[in-house]
Amino acid sequence: MRISIVAVGRLRAGPEKTLLDDYLTRFDRTGRGLGLGPARVIEVEDKKNAGMGAEAGLLRKALPKGAVICTLDERGRLMSSPDFAQKLGNWRDAGRQDLALIIGGADGIDPSLRAEADFSISFGSMVWPHMLVRVMLAEQLYRAATILSGGPYHRV
């Protein structure tokens, strides 16, 4: 199952980009034998003053055809890492070819696009910088592949 992180805005060179690339490389290596990956980031233009509706249009155009659509949104479902791993495994086992994980811009995701999603995940009730969410999501993808491969998972 191919994974696309579809996000508003461009992530420039720096520590976040370095971490993102590292976790996606780890995910690709670990997930390959599990039928997960490759993972890629698709960035759409940050539409300053154009509103979430304009960003939603760009996000829709960037989605792989037929993909499972999953938004990252504070209203989404809180999940443990093993639950997220199981969700990915279930989509893969159901024969889904593509998963699109959507990260909105500074104002979030337009309600109409949220309504079209098959699923929504929350990283908690706190609001996180949307550029940092990419790194957090990539780490969770890597962790999910590790869990699905039978690797160790450390609970606090």
Side-chain angles (χ1 to χ4, degrees):
M1 180 174 64
R2 294 175 296 264
I3 310 283
S4 299
I5 298 173
V6 185
V8 173
R10 306 271 180 230
L11 183 59
R12 300 195 191 334
E16 295 91 350
K17 176 86 168 103
T18 300
L19 279 170
L20 176 68
D21 292 344
D22 180 52
Y23 282 122
L24 291 179
T25 298
R26 290 181 192 196
F27 169 75
D28 285 343
R29 267 191 250 129
T30 306
R32 186 178 308 125
L34 303 169
L36 294 172
R40 65 183 175 145
V41 177
I42 301 170
E43 298 175 320
V44 302
E45 186 179 345
D46 187 357
K47 288 287 192 180
K48 299 265 188 236
N49 301 318
M52 290 187 296
E55 290 175 352
L58 293 173
L59 288 165
R60 279 186 189 96
K61 287 179 187 176
L63 297 174
K65 189 173 180 80
V68 174
I69 299 171
C70 180
T71 59
L72 276 85
D73 184 81
E74 64 193 32
R75 298 164 204 80
R77 182 172 165 205
L78 291 170
M79 302 183 83
S80 67
S81 295
D83 289 343
F84 179 61
Q86 182 177 14
K87 192 74 170 165
L88 286 179
N90 289 345
W91 283 324
R92 176 204 58 201
D93 295 347
R96 301 306 298 259
Q97 296 295 310
D98 286 284
L99 169 63
L101 297 152
I102 299 175
I103 301 170
D107 296 325
I109 299 172
D110 187 76
S112 67
L113 183 53
R114 278 198 323 261
E116 295 170 24
D118 299 293
F119 197 74
S120 186
I121 296 171
S122 172
F123 282 161
S125 57
M126 291 181 176
V127 176
W128 296 96
H130 60 280
M131 295 297 183
L132 186 54
V133 169
R134 295 179 196 199
V135 175
M136 295 164 60
L137 178 58
E139 191 280 336
Q140 285 300 303
L141 287 167
Y142 166 61
R143 187 175 300 270
T146 300
I147 291 168
L148 290 171
S149 71
Y153 171 70
H154 304 284
R155 290 186 181 224
V156 176

